Amino acid sequence: MKKLLCLAVAFLALSSCTQDVYDKGEGPYSHMLAEMVMAHANSNKQIDFVVTDEGERLVTAPPFTTSWITTADSTYRGILYYNKGDKQADAISFNRVTVLRPQQIKDMKTDPLKVETCWVSTNGTYLNLGVRLMVGSTTDTEAKHIVAAHLLGRKVNTDGTKTIHLQFYHDQNGVPAYYSLRSYFSIPLSDLSADSVSISINTHEGTTTYAFPMTATH
């Protein structure tokens, strides 16, 4: 069994691993790819294949596991760092991506954060976010970031198209803000019937709204 190692920071309702250092030479990481994937865990809780957001199925050779893969015969959302072969992936690292299912939230909190990237998957199934949350050491075990996707509703535009509007919920919740930590989130779009999607996020520079078309099947 191949076991991948990563550094993990636990938040309430999320667990994220990050890798910010890359080998730029001709070593084992020089041709490394990084992609959002849905990963299948077999009966031994090993990832035996993944499906990329472009719809490509890759067998992981050899299969691997991490500490946060806890359920057999299930799927996990994550970023896979790997070297690619013929329909195969030689995994280097697999970092968890927290899935935030849209819901209506009564009492919103929008503590600021930094947005690094925001995009809709090629297959239209997820709205993806790469953000930096401010973190720091504390003895308070209750101090944990709380994040969610608030569903504002669906609007019919003047041209007859429909847009789903989302808002990013973020509660700093007593976590010290000493340095930033990169974290990734995916918001499922498959159950949202619309032509486009937008999400508003409060940043340190003010509220920013990102809007994207969705595939024709939504």
Side-chain angles (χ1 to χ4, degrees), residues 24-61:
K24 299 187 188 313
E26 290 302 316
Y29 306 131
S30 59
H31 301 291
M32 181 177 68
L33 300 175
E35 291 190 87
M36 288 271 195
V37 300
M38 292 302 299
H40 176 262
N42 62 21
S43 58
N44 295 319
K45 301 178 186 178
Q46 294 175 276
I47 300 301
D48 54 0
F49 71 87
V50 301
V51 178
T52 72
D53 282 359
E54 284 69 39
E56 185 175 17
R57 187 182 188 276
L58 299 172
V59 175
T60 52

PDB file of all heavy atoms in Angstrom, residues 24-61:
ATOM      1  N   LYS A  24      11.542  22.563  -9.318  1.00  0.00           N
ATOM      2  CA  LYS A  24      11.526  23.149 -10.652  1.00  0.00           C
ATOM      3  C   LYS A  24      12.602  22.547 -11.552  1.00  0.00           C
ATOM      4  O   LYS A  24      12.769  22.959 -12.690  1.00  0.00           O
ATOM      5  CB  LYS A  24      11.722  24.674 -10.564  1.00  0.00           C
ATOM      6  CG  LYS A  24      10.637  25.392  -9.772  1.00  0.00           C
ATOM      7  CD  LYS A  24      10.819  26.879  -9.880  1.00  0.00           C
ATOM      8  CE  LYS A  24       9.906  27.654  -8.983  1.00  0.00           C
ATOM      9  NZ  LYS A  24       8.516  27.245  -8.989  1.00  0.00           N
ATOM     10  N   GLY A  25      13.369  21.568 -11.052  1.00  0.00           N
ATOM     11  CA  GLY A  25      14.419  20.964 -11.849  1.00  0.00           C
ATOM     12  C   GLY A  25      13.923  19.775 -12.638  1.00  0.00           C
ATOM     13  O   GLY A  25      12.748  19.660 -12.956  1.00  0.00           O
ATOM     14  N   GLU A  26      14.800  18.858 -12.930  1.00  0.00           N
ATOM     15  CA  GLU A  26      14.442  17.664 -13.690  1.00  0.00           C
ATOM     16  C   GLU A  26      14.332  16.458 -12.774  1.00  0.00           C
ATOM     17  O   GLU A  26      14.648  15.340 -13.151  1.00  0.00           O
ATOM     18  CB  GLU A  26      15.486  17.414 -14.791  1.00  0.00           C
ATOM     19  CG  GLU A  26      15.441  18.443 -15.905  1.00  0.00           C
ATOM     20  CD  GLU A  26      14.080  18.510 -16.569  1.00  0.00           C
ATOM     21  OE1 GLU A  26      13.495  17.443 -16.840  1.00  0.00           O
ATOM     22  OE2 GLU A  26      13.586  19.613 -16.808  1.00  0.00           O
ATOM     23  N   GLY A  27      13.897  16.684 -11.553  1.00  0.00           N
ATOM     24  CA  GLY A  27      13.706  15.610 -10.590  1.00  0.00           C
ATOM     25  C   GLY A  27      12.362  14.945 -10.782  1.00  0.00           C
ATOM     26  O   GLY A  27      11.673  15.127 -11.796  1.00  0.00           O
ATOM     27  N   PRO A  28      11.917  14.149  -9.796  1.00  0.00           N
ATOM     28  CA  PRO A  28      10.659  13.405  -9.939  1.00  0.00           C
ATOM     29  C   PRO A  28       9.435  14.291 -10.019  1.00  0.00           C
ATOM     30  O   PRO A  28       8.371  13.837 -10.427  1.00  0.00           O
ATOM     31  CB  PRO A  28      10.624  12.533  -8.668  1.00  0.00           C
ATOM     32  CG  PRO A  28      11.507  13.249  -7.694  1.00  0.00           C
ATOM     33  CD  PRO A  28      12.584  13.880  -8.524  1.00  0.00           C
ATOM     34  N   TYR A  29       9.533  15.584  -9.628  1.00  0.00           N
ATOM     35  CA  TYR A  29       8.384  16.482  -9.643  1.00  0.00           C
ATOM     36  C   TYR A  29       8.410  17.457 -10.818  1.00  0.00           C
ATOM     37  O   TYR A  29       7.538  18.303 -10.929  1.00  0.00           O
ATOM     38  CB  TYR A  29       8.320  17.270  -8.337  1.00  0.00           C
ATOM     39  CG  TYR A  29       8.319  16.401  -7.108  1.00  0.00           C
ATOM     40  CD1 TYR A  29       9.180  16.659  -6.057  1.00  0.00           C
ATOM     41  CD2 TYR A  29       7.458  15.309  -7.000  1.00  0.00           C
ATOM     42  CE1 TYR A  29       9.190  15.839  -4.923  1.00  0.00           C
ATOM     43  CE2 TYR A  29       7.461  14.499  -5.877  1.00  0.00           C
ATOM     44  CZ  TYR A  29       8.331  14.770  -4.842  1.00  0.00           C
ATOM     45  OH  TYR A  29       8.337  13.976  -3.726  1.00  0.00           O
ATOM     46  N   SER A  30       9.397  17.357 -11.687  1.00  0.00           N
ATOM     47  CA  SER A  30       9.550  18.364 -12.732  1.00  0.00           C
ATOM     48  C   SER A  30       8.439  18.323 -13.763  1.00  0.00           C
ATOM     49  O   SER A  30       8.168  19.317 -14.426  1.00  0.00           O
ATOM     50  CB  SER A  30      10.911  18.200 -13.419  1.00  0.00           C
ATOM     51  OG  SER A  30      11.026  16.912 -13.992  1.00  0.00           O
ATOM     52  N   HIS A  31       7.783  17.192 -13.935  1.00  0.00           N
ATOM     53  CA  HIS A  31       6.681  17.071 -14.893  1.00  0.00           C
ATOM     54  C   HIS A  31       5.352  16.808 -14.172  1.00  0.00           C
ATOM     55  O   HIS A  31       4.415  16.273 -14.765  1.00  0.00           O
ATOM     56  CB  HIS A  31       6.972  15.952 -15.892  1.00  0.00           C
ATOM     57  CG  HIS A  31       8.238  16.165 -16.653  1.00  0.00           C
ATOM     58  ND1 HIS A  31       8.393  17.160 -17.586  1.00  0.00           N
ATOM     59  CD2 HIS A  31       9.435  15.524 -16.589  1.00  0.00           C
ATOM     60  CE1 HIS A  31       9.615  17.122 -18.087  1.00  0.00           C
ATOM     61  NE2 HIS A  31      10.270  16.137 -17.497  1.00  0.00           N
ATOM     62  N   MET A  32       5.282  17.211 -12.930  1.00  0.00           N
ATOM     63  CA  MET A  32       4.099  16.950 -12.121  1.00  0.00           C
ATOM     64  C   MET A  32       2.907  17.770 -12.593  1.00  0.00           C
ATOM     65  O   MET A  32       3.033  18.948 -12.915  1.00  0.00           O
ATOM     66  CB  MET A  32       4.401  17.274 -10.651  1.00  0.00           C
ATOM     67  CG  MET A  32       3.247  17.030  -9.711  1.00  0.00           C
ATOM     68  SD  MET A  32       3.719  17.351  -7.995  1.00  0.00           S
ATOM     69  CE  MET A  32       3.962  19.137  -8.057  1.00  0.00           C
ATOM     70  N   LEU A  33       1.734  17.145 -12.609  1.00  0.00           N
ATOM     71  CA  LEU A  33       0.480  17.807 -12.907  1.00  0.00           C
ATOM     72  C   LEU A  33      -0.317  17.951 -11.619  1.00  0.00           C
ATOM     73  O   LEU A  33      -0.136  17.182 -10.667  1.00  0.00           O
ATOM     74  CB  LEU A  33      -0.321  16.996 -13.924  1.00  0.00           C
ATOM     75  CG  LEU A  33       0.333  16.745 -15.281  1.00  0.00           C
ATOM     76  CD1 LEU A  33      -0.535  15.822 -16.120  1.00  0.00           C
ATOM     77  CD2 LEU A  33       0.588  18.054 -16.012  1.00  0.00           C
ATOM     78  N   ALA A  34      -1.211  18.931 -11.579  1.00  0.00           N
ATOM     79  CA  ALA A  34      -2.097  19.122 -10.433  1.00  0.00           C
ATOM     80  C   ALA A  34      -3.498  19.376 -10.971  1.00  0.00           C
ATOM     81  O   ALA A  34      -3.712  20.310 -11.744  1.00  0.00           O
ATOM     82  CB  ALA A  34      -1.637  20.286  -9.569  1.00  0.00           C
ATOM     83  N   GLU A  35      -4.459  18.528 -10.574  1.00  0.00           N
ATOM     84  CA  GLU A  35      -5.824  18.654 -11.083  1.00  0.00           C
ATOM     85  C   GLU A  35      -6.834  18.344  -9.994  1.00  0.00           C
ATOM     86  O   GLU A  35      -6.614  17.493  -9.131  1.00  0.00           O
ATOM     87  CB  GLU A  35      -6.048  17.686 -12.254  1.00  0.00           C
ATOM     88  CG  GLU A  35      -5.291  18.037 -13.511  1.00  0.00           C
ATOM     89  CD  GLU A  35      -5.739  17.181 -14.678  1.00  0.00           C
ATOM     90  OE1 GLU A  35      -6.720  17.577 -15.350  1.00  0.00           O
ATOM     91  OE2 GLU A  35      -5.142  16.119 -14.904  1.00  0.00           O
ATOM     92  N   MET A  36      -7.983  19.035 -10.071  1.00  0.00           N
ATOM     93  CA  MET A  36      -9.127  18.681  -9.251  1.00  0.00           C
ATOM     94  C   MET A  36      -9.710  17.378  -9.789  1.00  0.00           C
ATOM     95  O   MET A  36      -9.895  17.218 -11.006  1.00  0.00           O
ATOM     96  CB  MET A  36     -10.193  19.765  -9.324  1.00  0.00           C
ATOM     97  CG  MET A  36      -9.830  21.044  -8.600  1.00  0.00           C
ATOM     98  SD  MET A  36     -10.372  20.952  -6.886  1.00  0.00           S
ATOM     99  CE  MET A  36     -10.240  22.687  -6.419  1.00  0.00           C
ATOM    100  N   VAL A  37     -10.006  16.452  -8.866  1.00  0.00           N
ATOM    101  CA  VAL A  37     -10.527  15.158  -9.287  1.00  0.00           C
ATOM    102  C   VAL A  37     -11.582  14.659  -8.307  1.00  0.00           C
ATOM    103  O   VAL A  37     -11.676  15.125  -7.169  1.00  0.00           O
ATOM    104  CB  VAL A  37      -9.403  14.094  -9.373  1.00  0.00           C
ATOM    105  CG1 VAL A  37      -8.331  14.505 -10.367  1.00  0.00           C
ATOM    106  CG2 VAL A  37      -8.791  13.835  -7.987  1.00  0.00           C
ATOM    107  N   MET A  38     -12.373  13.698  -8.778  1.00  0.00           N
ATOM    108  CA  MET A  38     -13.181  12.857  -7.911  1.00  0.00           C
ATOM    109  C   MET A  38     -12.455  11.530  -7.839  1.00  0.00           C
ATOM    110  O   MET A  38     -12.162  10.908  -8.871  1.00  0.00           O
ATOM    111  CB  MET A  38     -14.595  12.683  -8.464  1.00  0.00           C
ATOM    112  CG  MET A  38     -15.430  13.957  -8.445  1.00  0.00           C
ATOM    113  SD  MET A  38     -15.621  14.685  -6.794  1.00  0.00           S
ATOM    114  CE  MET A  38     -16.451  13.347  -5.918  1.00  0.00           C
ATOM    115  N   ALA A  39     -12.121  11.099  -6.612  1.00  0.00           N
ATOM    116  CA  ALA A  39     -11.313   9.907  -6.416  1.00  0.00           C
ATOM    117  C   ALA A  39     -12.145   8.787  -5.806  1.00  0.00           C
ATOM    118  O   ALA A  39     -12.918   9.012  -4.875  1.00  0.00           O
ATOM    119  CB  ALA A  39     -10.124  10.230  -5.514  1.00  0.00           C
ATOM    120  N   HIS A  40     -11.977   7.589  -6.320  1.00  0.00           N
ATOM    121  CA  HIS A  40     -12.720   6.424  -5.832  1.00  0.00           C
ATOM    122  C   HIS A  40     -11.874   5.623  -4.855  1.00  0.00           C
ATOM    123  O   HIS A  40     -10.737   5.237  -5.160  1.00  0.00           O
ATOM    124  CB  HIS A  40     -13.130   5.527  -6.994  1.00  0.00           C
ATOM    125  CG  HIS A  40     -13.811   4.266  -6.550  1.00  0.00           C
ATOM    126  ND1 HIS A  40     -13.154   3.053  -6.419  1.00  0.00           N
ATOM    127  CD2 HIS A  40     -15.104   4.035  -6.180  1.00  0.00           C
ATOM    128  CE1 HIS A  40     -14.003   2.137  -6.009  1.00  0.00           C
ATOM    129  NE2 HIS A  40     -15.186   2.691  -5.858  1.00  0.00           N
ATOM    130  N   ALA A  41     -12.443   5.379  -3.664  1.00  0.00           N
ATOM    131  CA  ALA A  41     -11.779   4.534  -2.671  1.00  0.00           C
ATOM    132  C   ALA A  41     -12.359   3.123  -2.757  1.00  0.00           C
ATOM    133  O   ALA A  41     -13.583   2.936  -2.711  1.00  0.00           O
ATOM    134  CB  ALA A  41     -11.978   5.102  -1.270  1.00  0.00           C
ATOM    135  N   ASN A  42     -11.485   2.128  -2.867  1.00  0.00           N
ATOM    136  CA  ASN A  42     -11.951   0.751  -2.993  1.00  0.00           C
ATOM    137  C   ASN A  42     -12.270   0.138  -1.621  1.00  0.00           C
ATOM    138  O   ASN A  42     -12.307   0.846  -0.615  1.00  0.00           O
ATOM    139  CB  ASN A  42     -10.926  -0.092  -3.763  1.00  0.00           C
ATOM    140  CG  ASN A  42      -9.575  -0.159  -3.041  1.00  0.00           C
ATOM    141  OD1 ASN A  42      -9.477   0.078  -1.827  1.00  0.00           O
ATOM    142  ND2 ASN A  42      -8.542  -0.473  -3.797  1.00  0.00           N
ATOM    143  N   SER A  43     -12.482  -1.162  -1.587  1.00  0.00           N
ATOM    144  CA  SER A  43     -12.869  -1.826  -0.339  1.00  0.00           C
ATOM    145  C   SER A  43     -11.778  -1.781   0.721  1.00  0.00           C
ATOM    146  O   SER A  43     -12.043  -1.993   1.906  1.00  0.00           O
ATOM    147  CB  SER A  43     -13.254  -3.284  -0.625  1.00  0.00           C
ATOM    148  OG  SER A  43     -12.173  -3.973  -1.233  1.00  0.00           O
ATOM    149  N   ASN A  44     -10.534  -1.496   0.310  1.00  0.00           N
ATOM    150  CA  ASN A  44      -9.423  -1.370   1.251  1.00  0.00           C
ATOM    151  C   ASN A  44      -9.118   0.086   1.610  1.00  0.00           C
ATOM    152  O   ASN A  44      -8.071   0.380   2.176  1.00  0.00           O
ATOM    153  CB  ASN A  44      -8.164  -2.019   0.664  1.00  0.00           C
ATOM    154  CG  ASN A  44      -8.307  -3.510   0.490  1.00  0.00           C
ATOM    155  OD1 ASN A  44      -8.860  -4.191   1.350  1.00  0.00           O
ATOM    156  ND2 ASN A  44      -7.826  -4.032  -0.634  1.00  0.00           N
ATOM    157  N   LYS A  45     -10.042   0.989   1.261  1.00  0.00           N
ATOM    158  CA  LYS A  45      -9.877   2.421   1.516  1.00  0.00           C
ATOM    159  C   LYS A  45      -8.653   2.984   0.792  1.00  0.00           C
ATOM    160  O   LYS A  45      -7.998   3.893   1.259  1.00  0.00           O
ATOM    161  CB  LYS A  45      -9.777   2.710   3.017  1.00  0.00           C
ATOM    162  CG  LYS A  45     -10.979   2.253   3.823  1.00  0.00           C
ATOM    163  CD  LYS A  45     -10.794   2.530   5.301  1.00  0.00           C
ATOM    164  CE  LYS A  45     -11.937   1.943   6.120  1.00  0.00           C
ATOM    165  NZ  LYS A  45     -11.752   2.169   7.574  1.00  0.00           N
ATOM    166  N   GLN A  46      -8.376   2.427  -0.372  1.00  0.00           N
ATOM    167  CA  GLN A  46      -7.299   2.905  -1.229  1.00  0.00           C
ATOM    168  C   GLN A  46      -7.903   3.560  -2.465  1.00  0.00           C
ATOM    169  O   GLN A  46      -8.894   3.069  -3.024  1.00  0.00           O
ATOM    170  CB  GLN A  46      -6.398   1.754  -1.669  1.00  0.00           C
ATOM    171  CG  GLN A  46      -5.620   1.085  -0.558  1.00  0.00           C
ATOM    172  CD  GLN A  46      -4.852  -0.104  -1.087  1.00  0.00           C
ATOM    173  OE1 GLN A  46      -5.394  -1.202  -1.216  1.00  0.00           O
ATOM    174  NE2 GLN A  46      -3.597   0.108  -1.418  1.00  0.00           N
ATOM    175  N   ILE A  47      -7.303   4.654  -2.897  1.00  0.00           N
ATOM    176  CA  ILE A  47      -7.734   5.303  -4.128  1.00  0.00           C
ATOM    177  C   ILE A  47      -7.206   4.495  -5.300  1.00  0.00           C
ATOM    178  O   ILE A  47      -5.994   4.413  -5.518  1.00  0.00           O
ATOM    179  CB  ILE A  47      -7.226   6.757  -4.198  1.00  0.00           C
ATOM    180  CG1 ILE A  47      -7.756   7.570  -3.016  1.00  0.00           C
ATOM    181  CG2 ILE A  47      -7.636   7.390  -5.522  1.00  0.00           C
ATOM    182  CD1 ILE A  47      -9.256   7.648  -2.915  1.00  0.00           C
ATOM    183  N   ASP A  48      -8.138   3.891  -6.061  1.00  0.00           N
ATOM    184  CA  ASP A  48      -7.707   3.047  -7.173  1.00  0.00           C
ATOM    185  C   ASP A  48      -7.910   3.700  -8.536  1.00  0.00           C
ATOM    186  O   ASP A  48      -7.311   3.269  -9.523  1.00  0.00           O
ATOM    187  CB  ASP A  48      -8.392   1.685  -7.121  1.00  0.00           C
ATOM    188  CG  ASP A  48      -9.914   1.780  -7.063  1.00  0.00           C
ATOM    189  OD1 ASP A  48     -10.438   2.907  -7.057  1.00  0.00           O
ATOM    190  OD2 ASP A  48     -10.572   0.721  -7.035  1.00  0.00           O
ATOM    191  N   PHE A  49      -8.761   4.735  -8.609  1.00  0.00           N
ATOM    192  CA  PHE A  49      -8.848   5.515  -9.838  1.00  0.00           C
ATOM    193  C   PHE A  49      -9.443   6.879  -9.529  1.00  0.00           C
ATOM    194  O   PHE A  49     -10.092   7.077  -8.490  1.00  0.00           O
ATOM    195  CB  PHE A  49      -9.673   4.804 -10.923  1.00  0.00           C
ATOM    196  CG  PHE A  49     -11.148   4.735 -10.669  1.00  0.00           C
ATOM    197  CD1 PHE A  49     -11.997   5.775 -11.059  1.00  0.00           C
ATOM    198  CD2 PHE A  49     -11.721   3.627 -10.048  1.00  0.00           C
ATOM    199  CE1 PHE A  49     -13.368   5.719 -10.837  1.00  0.00           C
ATOM    200  CE2 PHE A  49     -13.086   3.554  -9.823  1.00  0.00           C
ATOM    201  CZ  PHE A  49     -13.909   4.602 -10.213  1.00  0.00           C
ATOM    202  N   VAL A  50      -9.207   7.819 -10.426  1.00  0.00           N
ATOM    203  CA  VAL A  50      -9.755   9.171 -10.294  1.00  0.00           C
ATOM    204  C   VAL A  50     -10.381   9.571 -11.615  1.00  0.00           C
ATOM    205  O   VAL A  50     -10.041   9.035 -12.676  1.00  0.00           O
ATOM    206  CB  VAL A  50      -8.664  10.202  -9.900  1.00  0.00           C
ATOM    207  CG1 VAL A  50      -8.000   9.818  -8.580  1.00  0.00           C
ATOM    208  CG2 VAL A  50      -7.623  10.358 -11.003  1.00  0.00           C
ATOM    209  N   VAL A  51     -11.311  10.525 -11.543  1.00  0.00           N
ATOM    210  CA  VAL A  51     -11.907  11.122 -12.740  1.00  0.00           C
ATOM    211  C   VAL A  51     -11.653  12.622 -12.658  1.00  0.00           C
ATOM    212  O   VAL A  51     -12.056  13.275 -11.687  1.00  0.00           O
ATOM    213  CB  VAL A  51     -13.407  10.843 -12.847  1.00  0.00           C
ATOM    214  CG1 VAL A  51     -13.988  11.522 -14.090  1.00  0.00           C
ATOM    215  CG2 VAL A  51     -13.670   9.338 -12.892  1.00  0.00           C
ATOM    216  N   THR A  52     -10.952  13.162 -13.640  1.00  0.00           N
ATOM    217  CA  THR A  52     -10.632  14.583 -13.636  1.00  0.00           C
ATOM    218  C   THR A  52     -11.854  15.403 -14.005  1.00  0.00           C
ATOM    219  O   THR A  52     -12.856  14.875 -14.499  1.00  0.00           O
ATOM    220  CB  THR A  52      -9.497  14.891 -14.624  1.00  0.00           C
ATOM    221  OG1 THR A  52     -10.008  14.765 -15.968  1.00  0.00           O
ATOM    222  CG2 THR A  52      -8.314  13.947 -14.438  1.00  0.00           C
ATOM    223  N   ASP A  53     -11.771  16.713 -13.797  1.00  0.00           N
ATOM    224  CA  ASP A  53     -12.875  17.601 -14.151  1.00  0.00           C
ATOM    225  C   ASP A  53     -13.031  17.742 -15.661  1.00  0.00           C
ATOM    226  O   ASP A  53     -14.004  18.336 -16.131  1.00  0.00           O
ATOM    227  CB  ASP A  53     -12.674  18.977 -13.515  1.00  0.00           C
ATOM    228  CG  ASP A  53     -13.049  18.973 -12.041  1.00  0.00           C
ATOM    229  OD1 ASP A  53     -13.474  17.915 -11.538  1.00  0.00           O
ATOM    230  OD2 ASP A  53     -12.924  20.033 -11.387  1.00  0.00           O
ATOM    231  N   GLU A  54     -12.089  17.207 -16.425  1.00  0.00           N
ATOM    232  CA  GLU A  54     -12.228  17.151 -17.881  1.00  0.00           C
ATOM    233  C   GLU A  54     -12.870  15.836 -18.317  1.00  0.00           C
ATOM    234  O   GLU A  54     -13.037  15.584 -19.512  1.00  0.00           O
ATOM    235  CB  GLU A  54     -10.855  17.307 -18.553  1.00  0.00           C
ATOM    236  CG  GLU A  54     -10.312  18.732 -18.558  1.00  0.00           C
ATOM    237  CD  GLU A  54      -9.941  19.203 -17.158  1.00  0.00           C
ATOM    238  OE1 GLU A  54      -9.390  18.393 -16.379  1.00  0.00           O
ATOM    239  OE2 GLU A  54     -10.213  20.375 -16.841  1.00  0.00           O
ATOM    240  N   GLY A  55     -13.190  14.984 -17.338  1.00  0.00           N
ATOM    241  CA  GLY A  55     -13.870  13.733 -17.645  1.00  0.00           C
ATOM    242  C   GLY A  55     -12.953  12.561 -17.945  1.00  0.00           C
ATOM    243  O   GLY A  55     -13.430  11.491 -18.338  1.00  0.00           O
ATOM    244  N   GLU A  56     -11.654  12.723 -17.727  1.00  0.00           N
ATOM    245  CA  GLU A  56     -10.715  11.645 -18.015  1.00  0.00           C
ATOM    246  C   GLU A  56     -10.573  10.729 -16.798  1.00  0.00           C
ATOM    247  O   GLU A  56     -10.357  11.193 -15.679  1.00  0.00           O
ATOM    248  CB  GLU A  56      -9.350  12.204 -18.395  1.00  0.00           C
ATOM    249  CG  GLU A  56      -8.357  11.142 -18.834  1.00  0.00           C
ATOM    250  CD  GLU A  56      -7.045  11.723 -19.312  1.00  0.00           C
ATOM    251  OE1 GLU A  56      -6.763  12.903 -19.012  1.00  0.00           O
ATOM    252  OE2 GLU A  56      -6.291  10.994 -19.999  1.00  0.00           O
ATOM    253  N   ARG A  57     -10.686   9.423 -17.028  1.00  0.00           N
ATOM    254  CA  ARG A  57     -10.533   8.428 -15.966  1.00  0.00           C
ATOM    255  C   ARG A  57      -9.104   7.926 -15.957  1.00  0.00           C
ATOM    256  O   ARG A  57      -8.590   7.461 -16.985  1.00  0.00           O
ATOM    257  CB  ARG A  57     -11.499   7.266 -16.178  1.00  0.00           C
ATOM    258  CG  ARG A  57     -11.545   6.246 -15.042  1.00  0.00           C
ATOM    259  CD  ARG A  57     -12.505   5.124 -15.403  1.00  0.00           C
ATOM    260  NE  ARG A  57     -12.758   4.200 -14.326  1.00  0.00           N
ATOM    261  CZ  ARG A  57     -11.999   3.154 -14.011  1.00  0.00           C
ATOM    262  NH1 ARG A  57     -10.899   2.917 -14.716  1.00  0.00           N
ATOM    263  NH2 ARG A  57     -12.323   2.360 -13.006  1.00  0.00           N
ATOM    264  N   LEU A  58      -8.441   8.015 -14.812  1.00  0.00           N
ATOM    265  CA  LEU A  58      -7.051   7.590 -14.683  1.00  0.00           C
ATOM    266  C   LEU A  58      -6.941   6.565 -13.558  1.00  0.00           C
ATOM    267  O   LEU A  58      -7.405   6.800 -12.444  1.00  0.00           O
ATOM    268  CB  LEU A  58      -6.141   8.782 -14.374  1.00  0.00           C
ATOM    269  CG  LEU A  58      -6.092   9.914 -15.408  1.00  0.00           C
ATOM    270  CD1 LEU A  58      -5.303  11.089 -14.864  1.00  0.00           C
ATOM    271  CD2 LEU A  58      -5.474   9.411 -16.716  1.00  0.00           C
ATOM    272  N   VAL A  59      -6.326   5.438 -13.841  1.00  0.00           N
ATOM    273  CA  VAL A  59      -6.054   4.430 -12.823  1.00  0.00           C
ATOM    274  C   VAL A  59      -4.840   4.867 -12.027  1.00  0.00           C
ATOM    275  O   VAL A  59      -3.822   5.285 -12.598  1.00  0.00           O
ATOM    276  CB  VAL A  59      -5.806   3.055 -13.464  1.00  0.00           C
ATOM    277  CG1 VAL A  59      -5.389   2.031 -12.410  1.00  0.00           C
ATOM    278  CG2 VAL A  59      -7.045   2.585 -14.208  1.00  0.00           C
ATOM    279  N   THR A  60      -4.927   4.824 -10.717  1.00  0.00           N
ATOM    280  CA  THR A  60      -3.778   5.187  -9.877  1.00  0.00           C
ATOM    281  C   THR A  60      -2.924   3.942  -9.660  1.00  0.00           C
ATOM    282  O   THR A  60      -3.378   2.941  -9.115  1.00  0.00           O
ATOM    283  CB  THR A  60      -4.231   5.760  -8.527  1.00  0.00           C
ATOM    284  OG1 THR A  60      -5.151   4.867  -7.914  1.00  0.00           O
ATOM    285  CG2 THR A  60      -4.907   7.108  -8.726  1.00  0.00           C
ATOM    286  N   ALA A  61      -1.702   4.027 -10.130  1.00  0.00           N
ATOM    287  CA  ALA A  61      -0.799   2.880 -10.063  1.00  0.00           C
ATOM    288  C   ALA A  61       0.512   3.290  -9.387  1.00  0.00           C
ATOM    289  O   ALA A  61       1.268   4.057  -9.962  1.00  0.00           O
ATOM    290  CB  ALA A  61      -0.534   2.345 -11.464  1.00  0.00           C
TER     291      ALA A  61
END
